[in-house]
Amino acid sequence: MDRREFLKILSATVAGFALFGCRDGLLGDMPVKGTRLKLADFENEVKLALSKMKPGMELVRVPMPAALKTPGASQENRFGMAIDLDACDACGKCVLACIQENNIPLSAPERANRGQFMHWIEMCGGAPAMCFHCGDAPCEKVCPTGAANHTPDGVSAMMYKRCTGSRFCGANCPVHARKFNFDDPVASGRSLKFNAGVPVREKGVMEKCSLCLQRLQDARHDFKALHPGESFRGRGVTTACAAACPKNAIIFGNWLDEGSPLVRAAKNRVLYAPKAIAALDPAIVYMRGRR
């Protein structure tokens, strides 16, 4: 047994008793082998999730996100999103697009019936909610291995190979945006690899919205090859959820770029964030009305 496996078993055992006691199903549900999945299975799960929509969160006004104050943070880029509450109709297309882009597995039937899904985006009170990529992220502060970390340009990221499944990050997230893989999504027959460019996460790791980091990385690589010496600002990049929204209610961009569609869309709007994380400098905000 290598060091990572030892830490994984130890962390899972300690966290299981510390956070959940003797909770039933701690080790996940039995695998469903031989299942042949199709897109309709995921579409049906999204419909089920919408029927079990979570209550809305209390929102408070916040300023437009600015440059991160942490050492080493970029002064040119801070990526994030704004969700237009005046346009969103809770259709759920963003949830399905996120599933396809990031290879999010189906939940076990028992969990799905309880409203527990692996979806990185959830509908709360008729509005999409996900990891808010807080500049002062409490989840990152308690990760024992550094798997939960922040990129210089504002993305709260996950290094899955470092994750030992302690779930401390999930317990310390005020809006519970992180999901834990209780079983192997491939062995259980609940995973379909829609996107070959994104790995399917293994059993025992925490996962969450990544702001489609793979798209940013690919775009950065291409930009640097074509424009050596120039600064990459993320122009032309968008997330899967934003691209799929028929109402254009989700806008991705760079908070530090005046020419970004995100800044242009949010400049004259009133911005909000969930009260629980408003003081943590979120990079994803809601907007409604006009200033």
Side-chain angles (χ1 to χ4, degrees):
M1 182 184 298
D2 61 22
R3 179 177 178 272
R4 182 173 181 272
E5 281 299 314
F6 173 76
L7 286 173
K8 196 168 193 174
I9 294 171
L10 179 63
S11 297
T13 303
V14 172
F17 285 102
L19 300 178
F20 299 98
C22 297
R23 178 178 171 182
D24 291 337
L26 184 63
L27 299 181
D29 299 285
M30 292 298 292
V32 179
K33 296 183 178 179
T35 304
R36 303 185 71 175
L37 298 178
K38 51 188 179 297
L39 178 60
D41 297 315
F42 295 85
E43 293 173 333
N44 289 334
E45 187 180 76
V46 171
K47 291 177 183 176
L48 178 61
L50 293 178
S51 73
K52 297 177 178 292
M53 189 180 300
K54 294 186 175 182
M57 295 178 283
E58 183 181 358
L59 302 179
V60 296
R61 292 183 65 165
V62 292
M64 185 177 291
L68 293 171
K69 299 177 182 178
T70 51
S74 171
Q75 299 303 301
E76 292 187 325
N77 297 329
R78 186 181 181 189
F79 299 114
M81 296 194 297
I83 300 166
D84 191 343
L85 297 179
D86 294 335
C88 178
D89 62 2
C91 69
K93 287 184 172 60
C94 58
V95 182
L96 183 62
C98 180
I99 288 172
Q100 292 177 276
E101 174 72 18
N102 297 292
N103 301 323
I104 297 171
L106 294 170
S107 295
E110 296 82 359
R111 298 187 188 282
N113 289 332
R114 295 196 298 267
Q116 299 172 349
F117 305 96
M118 288 300 294
H119 303 163
W120 292 1
I121 301 175
E122 296 185 287
M123 301 304 295
C124 297
M130 64 287 283
C131 168
F132 289 88
H133 296 267
C134 301
D136 184 23
C139 54
E140 297 167 11
K141 296 177 181 179
V142 296
C143 178
T145 64
N149 63 90
H150 224 80
T151 69
D153 47 19
V155 179
S156 180
M158 275 296 298
M159 296 179 66
Y160 295 113
K161 289 299 183 181
R162 280 191 176 184
C163 182
T164 59
S166 71
R167 284 176 282 169
F168 296 154
C169 59
N172 217 38
C173 173
V175 294
H176 307 293
R178 291 170 173 267
K179 304 299 177 70
F180 183 71
N181 265 343
F182 281 96
D183 59 3
D184 185 324
V186 176
S188 67
R190 300 190 188 101
S191 177
L192 182 58
K193 195 163 188 177
F194 295 99
N195 185 355
V198 175
V200 175
R201 281 70 60 190
E202 63 184 37
K203 175 181 177 180
V205 300
M206 296 294 289
E207 56 181 80
K208 65 170 193 68
C209 164
S210 66
L211 274 181
C212 290
L213 184 59
Q214 65 277 1
R215 293 188 173 200
L216 276 168
Q217 290 173 327
D218 289 345
R220 191 192 306 272
H221 180 272
D222 293 343
F223 182 89
K224 291 292 186 182
L226 294 172
H227 307 280
E230 294 185 33
S231 296
F232 174 72
R233 307 302 301 279
R235 294 173 183 171
V237 184
T238 192
T239 55
C241 59
C245 180
K247 302 286 187 177
N248 296 318
I250 305 175
I251 301 97
F252 172 84
N254 184 352
W255 287 115
L256 307 185
D257 180 4
E258 287 293 325
S260 170
L262 176 61
V263 175
R264 293 200 304 266
K267 186 170 289 185
N268 296 315
R269 307 293 299 276
V270 183
L271 305 184
Y272 298 86
K275 184 177 181 180
I277 55 121
L280 301 176
D281 190 20
I284 296 180
V285 299
Y286 297 101
M287 60 185 182
R288 62 158 66 113
R290 296 280 172 183
R291 285 200 244 189

